[in-house]
Structures are given as C-alpha cells and as structure tokens.
Amino acid sequence: MVLQLGLVGLPNVGKSTLFNALTQAGALVANYPFTTIEPNIGVVAVPDARLQRLAEIIQPDKVTPATLRVVDIAGLVKGASQGEGLGNQFLSHIRGVDAVAMVVRCFQDENVAHVTETLDPVADIETVELELMLDDLALLERHQERLQTRAKGHAKEFEEQLAIVEGLLDTLRMGQPARRAALEPRQWAGEEYSPPLSDVALLTAKPLLLVANVAEDDLPEGGPLAARVRAWAEAQGASSPIVLCAQMEAELGAWPADDAAAYRAELGLSEPGLARFVRAGYALLDYITFFTTTGGKEVRAWTLQRGQTALEAAGAIHTAMARGFIRAEVVGYEALAAAGSVAGARETGHLQLEGREYLVQDGDVLHIRFAI
C-alpha cells in the first residue's frame, strides 16, 4: 500500500513549489497561472527515524523506506467545472488518490500574482471546494442515469444503490462536500452488495488535508492568514492545517542536512515540512507503518491501514505469503530497539508468535512464516 495524495489549489498558491520541496523533482515553477500543464507525479521516501534505528541494529545490505505518491495538477479557478482554466481537465488524474491536499496561499508577495484582487484564504478554500463539488455533481448525475437505465425491470435490485446516490446528490446540491454525507462505511466501500460507487471516485468524498503555505517570517505558527484557515478547518470539523513555507522547504532541500536542521531550529521548527506533511496524511487516513527484516538482508517499511491483520500485512508484502500464511513472529519496535537485537528481544520474551487474525500495531516488526 502506497499513500497517494493529490495536490489541488488555485494558481500561484505554491503547489508546484511544495511538490518540488516534497519530491525534489524539479517541476516547473513560474509566476503565471497554469504553469503545470501536464500533471506532475512524484514518489517520495517517507521519513521514519525508526527505520534508520532498525538498520543500525540489523546492519542489512539494503534499507527500503515506505513511499508517498504525490500528484500535482494545474491550478483550479472559479468556473473550472464549466471549463474555465485548465485544472478541471486533470481532475481525473487525482480521482484515484487516497486524500486531497489543498494548498492555500497564506503569504503576501506583490511579485507573485494572485487570481483575485484581495488575498482571502478562506474564500480561496471555498472556491476550490465548490469547483470540486460541481465536478462531483456532474459525475454523479451521469452515474445516476446509468443506474436508472440498468434498474429498468430490476427496480428492487438497484433500490438501495439509487437511494445512496440520491442522498449524495442532495448533499452536493446543498453545497456540502460528499464526505459530509451520512453514509455507513460499508455503503462507501460497497461491501455485501454491488457497490453504488464502484466506478465513481468522488473528490469531495476523500479526506481533506489543508496546507497553509506561509511566508518564512510567519513561521512556525503561520501568522494571521494561517489562523483564518485554522479557524475554518475547526468550524468544518476538518483536520488542523499543516503550516509550512514551501519556498523555504524547497531551498533547504539542497542544503546539507545538519545545516538545514540548524536553520529550522532557529525558526522554531523541529523537523522538515515533509515529515509533518506525511505524518498528517497518515493520521488523516489512519495508516500505520510496520517493518520487515528479511533475514537480516533488507530492512523495509510498509504501510497498512490501522485495524488490518497479520494476514493482510503478509498480502501487502507478497500474495504468496498470504496464501501460504502459517504464523507471524512479532516484536514491537520499542522492545526491539531496547533489546538491541532480534535474539535479545526473543530472550526477553518480547517476540511473540501470532496468527492470521492478529491486529498489526504501528511499529511492529514482522517475520511472516509461510508455506509455498
């Protein structure tokens, strides 16, 4: 499982700059709208100090971090859902992501044009949300028409699906994102019956991560504009925004690590913006990390949904492991780090044998025993 985030926002809010800071991929950044014509896609190594500590203990030949996939599309503008600008042409590129990260401009700079005369981050959020809702509405209406056609002569079979779709349409028509619809988890996932949303990926149904892009002088709290974004998020019941300076993070990416850390410390920042961005994404989606050591040859980090089992962790590594699953040897990261070795953890009784229903915990180190 790879965490996938789609970057959205108005033009000139710093999306591509943030993309560069995250991926060091060198996406084109310029002071005019629609610089990002083709979607930028980057894969980022997820920073995790635990992985490095495990590598020190195991001394493997290879260390493989978990990864984050970031998709950056053209800036959206008011009227995008009716064809204004370019961003709406690329919304399909982020329909498959796990969450939407909306970059909001919270810095004043007369040298960087803004799409409106007055910089108002809350109005900007609502503009982007509206365009995403309108696009979802059009997509869902087309889906409803297809369901109604299929339901002719099979009304009972499609009754629940059509009711769910109608409820979602009502939510969108009232100006609310689909994530606010009162649906049970199984209805979103389509468990136990043909899912009503199996071929519809609603953007406003995805979890929303707000990123307040601020001026360096406003770090670490973000200043008054970021405070407005924070207040909007609280009022909407959304996650608290991540506050960072994308331009600074992009520049520090080229610095020696120690120098960058010292500079951040002067600004009151204890870690890079990437680490906070990724951690917020994991928390939003309730993801955890587990590790494998592969006989001491490779230490690797994996991503899993909280509440998933040892069998599902085995399947994330390789389908053959899930098919032939026998049991899992499990030791928590803290116990292994304290013991200083797998053998030491076994001697102190911290290494346990677990079955397929064991719920994997964040930081677990797993060795899957399986039959071919």
Side-chain angles (χ1 to χ4, degrees):
M1 180 183 293
V2 176
L3 173 62
Q4 300 187 78
L5 294 175
L7 294 182
V8 301
L10 297 176
N12 290 353
V13 298
K15 287 191 304 87
S16 294
T17 303
L18 176 60
F19 179 85
N20 285 342
L22 292 169
T23 67
Q24 298 298 306
L28 176 63
V29 179
N31 179 25
Y32 52 88
F34 315 126
T35 302
T36 307
I37 302 300
E38 293 296 329
N40 294 311
I41 301 175
V43 177
V44 187
V46 173
D48 194 324
R50 297 174 299 180
L51 182 66
Q52 302 309 315
R53 175 59 182 142
L54 288 174
E56 293 172 3
I57 293 171
I58 305 298
Q59 294 292 306
D61 298 328
K62 185 179 181 181
V63 178
T64 305
T67 55
L68 161 71
R69 187 172 183 264
V70 184
V71 183
D72 173 28
I73 66 168
L76 298 169
V77 295
K78 187 175 182 179
S81 57
Q82 281 77 47
E84 294 292 329
L86 296 172
N88 68 307
Q89 299 177 27
F90 304 111
L91 287 176
S92 61
H93 291 272
I94 60 170
R95 288 201 178 275
V97 301
D98 300 305
V100 171
M102 187 189 300
V103 183
V104 186
R105 179 169 170 172
C106 295
F107 64 89
Q108 299 279 3
D109 189 337
E110 62 183 16
N111 296 315
V112 179
H114 191 53
V115 293
T116 58
E117 292 184 6
T118 304
L119 179 58
D120 183 344
V122 171
D124 291 352
I125 293 171
E126 293 174 346
T127 294
V128 175
E129 276 272 86
L130 177 61
E131 295 306 322
L132 296 180
M133 284 188 284
L134 290 172
D135 196 78
D136 278 352
L137 183 62
L139 183 69
L140 198 57
E141 285 175 340
R142 293 193 297 271
H143 182 65
Q144 182 188 44
E145 291 174 1
R146 291 193 296 270
L147 281 177
Q148 288 171 337
T149 299
R150 294 170 60 192
K152 291 179 180 178
H154 306 277
K156 196 67 176 177
E157 181 181 344
F158 290 89
E159 181 179 358
E160 184 176 5
Q161 296 184 46
L162 284 167
I164 292 171
V165 170
E166 186 60 42
L168 283 167
L169 286 170
D170 288 344
T171 298
L172 290 167
R173 287 167 181 155
M174 289 188 295
Q176 296 293 326
R179 73 181 75 90
R180 301 288 290 274
L183 292 184
E184 299 174 9
R186 76 175 187 89
Q187 292 175 316
W188 282 115
E191 296 174 6
E192 302 176 7
Y193 62 95
S194 178
L197 305 175
S198 59
D199 56 352
V200 180
L202 299 179
L203 291 169
T204 63
K206 299 180 184 299
L208 176 65
L209 175 64
L210 293 170
V211 182
N213 186 17
V214 306
E216 185 175 323
D217 290 344
D218 287 327
L219 291 170
E221 295 301 319
L225 292 177
R228 294 178 63 185
V229 175
R230 195 175 291 112
W232 183 90
E234 183 176 351
Q236 297 295 316
S239 299
S240 185
I242 301 301
V243 175
L244 52 75
C245 175
Q247 184 63 46
M248 184 197 76
E249 294 291 349
E251 292 172 358
L252 291 184
W255 287 28
D258 289 345
D259 292 347
Y263 188 76
R264 288 190 181 93
E266 291 179 8
L267 297 173
L269 301 172
S270 60
E271 59 185 345
L274 168 60
R276 290 183 288 120
F277 182 84
V278 172
R279 189 166 59 251
Y282 269 57
L284 185 66
L285 293 164
D286 209 13
Y287 282 175
I288 63 172
T289 301
F290 73 94
F291 304 95
T292 56
T293 59
T294 318
K297 294 181 180 180
E298 180 186 18
V299 171
R300 181 165 181 168
W302 304 83
T303 301
L304 204 64
Q305 191 86 44
R306 189 181 303 278
Q308 288 190 295
T309 64
L311 181 63
E312 289 168 311
I317 299 169
H318 199 286
T319 54
M321 284 190 174
R323 285 196 303 268
F325 184 95
I326 299 174
R327 64 179 65 89
E329 295 181 357
V330 183
V331 58
Y333 164 77
E334 296 292 347
L336 179 55
S341 68
V342 174
R346 182 180 286 108
E347 290 172 2
T348 57
H350 287 103
L351 191 148
Q352 303 292 325
L353 293 179
E354 301 288 354
R356 61 177 57 204
E357 298 301 322
Y358 170 75
L359 298 182
V360 179
Q361 304 299 306
D362 185 45
D364 275 352
V365 181
L366 303 182
H367 175 68
I368 306 297
R369 295 184 182 180
F370 67 105
I372 298 177

